[in-house]
Every structure is written in structure tokens, then in C-alpha cells.
Amino acid sequence: MDGKEFEILFKEQFTALTMFAMKYVGDLDTSKEIVHNVFLNLWERRNKLDSSKSLKSYLFTAVYNRSLNHLRDQKKFLNDELAAIGLRYMEYQGPEQQLEATEMEKKIQEALAALP
């Protein structure tokens, strides 16, 4: 794949791939970043591509996987942030408030675990 073919593929597929990623991550800028990273990876691996396989299928699969990875990473980040906030909050509370905070944190963790 040369630069011109790559440019044509990018222009043809960028919008559709971005909208596809939006269905999972729900944020336009993040979706664009995911698609850009997929195309960057494709360009870096262009000499190793199997020409018998569909590039369109490859791109949609790669965007899907990167979108799920993004969601997983965000969930982990949120869990870490909530734990840190909870610890700071509990340092300033009495035993009764600490119990309430622990129960609230448990409910938040359950809600986060239910996310896709």
C-alpha cells in the first residue's frame, strides 16, 4: 500500500469508523483519536498486511477492539480515582460517616462493574 492508496482509504473510512467508535465510547474526540491510532498502526504495518483480507473488516475490528480497550482503561482509571477520593474523604470523617462512605463506595463500585 502506497501513500496515495492509504490517503484514499483514510478519506473513505474515517467518518464511518469514527461513528462506529462513538457507539462505544460516546465521545467524538476520543473516537477520532481511536480511529487515528488505528490508521497510524495500519500505516506502520502496511508492508506486513495480508492482501487477501479485507482492509475494511480489519479497520472495523481494530476500532472495535481499541474502543473496548479504552472503556476498560477508563473503568480502571475511575475505580482508582474513586478509591483515592474515598480514602481522602474517610480521613476527615467520624466512624459513622466512614461507614456511610464505605457503603456508598460499594454501591458506586457495583454500578461501575455493571457498565459495559
Side-chain angles (χ1 to χ4, degrees):
M1 172 183 299
D2 66 11
K4 188 65 176 170
E5 292 171 328
F6 182 82
E7 182 180 352
I8 291 168
L9 181 65
F10 181 86
K11 288 179 179 179
E12 287 177 350
Q13 298 300 322
F14 181 79
T15 302
L17 289 166
T18 300
M19 293 300 109
F20 182 67
M22 276 282 293
K23 291 192 311 189
Y24 298 100
V25 299
D27 178 67
L28 182 61
D29 290 333
T30 302
S31 298
K32 286 180 179 181
E33 183 178 341
I34 288 169
V35 174
H36 278 245
N37 287 335
V38 166
F39 272 105
L40 177 61
N41 186 286
L42 177 67
W43 178 252
E44 290 171 348
R45 298 177 51 196
R46 68 189 177 279
N47 295 328
K48 300 174 188 171
L49 293 176
D50 183 356
S51 59
S52 68
K53 300 203 176 173
S54 166
L55 276 178
K56 185 176 178 180
S57 176
Y58 168 82
L59 290 170
F60 276 90
T61 301
V63 168
Y64 172 77
N65 289 334
R66 295 244 179 158
S67 296
L68 293 183
N69 289 346
H70 172 78
L71 291 174
R72 180 201 63 215
D73 295 344
Q74 284 299 106
K75 185 175 177 181
K76 182 180 178 200
F77 174 76
L78 287 174
N79 284 337
D80 293 346
E81 285 295 306
L82 285 174
I85 290 168
L87 288 174
R88 287 194 301 267
Y89 176 76
M90 288 175 62
E91 289 174 359
Y92 298 107
Q93 304 301 315
E96 186 175 306
Q97 288 83 10
Q98 287 181 1
L99 181 59
E100 288 175 8
T102 302
E103 289 174 4
M104 180 63 76
E105 183 177 345
K106 183 180 176 188
K107 289 179 182 179
I108 291 171
Q109 293 297 334
E110 289 171 357
L112 284 173
L115 291 174

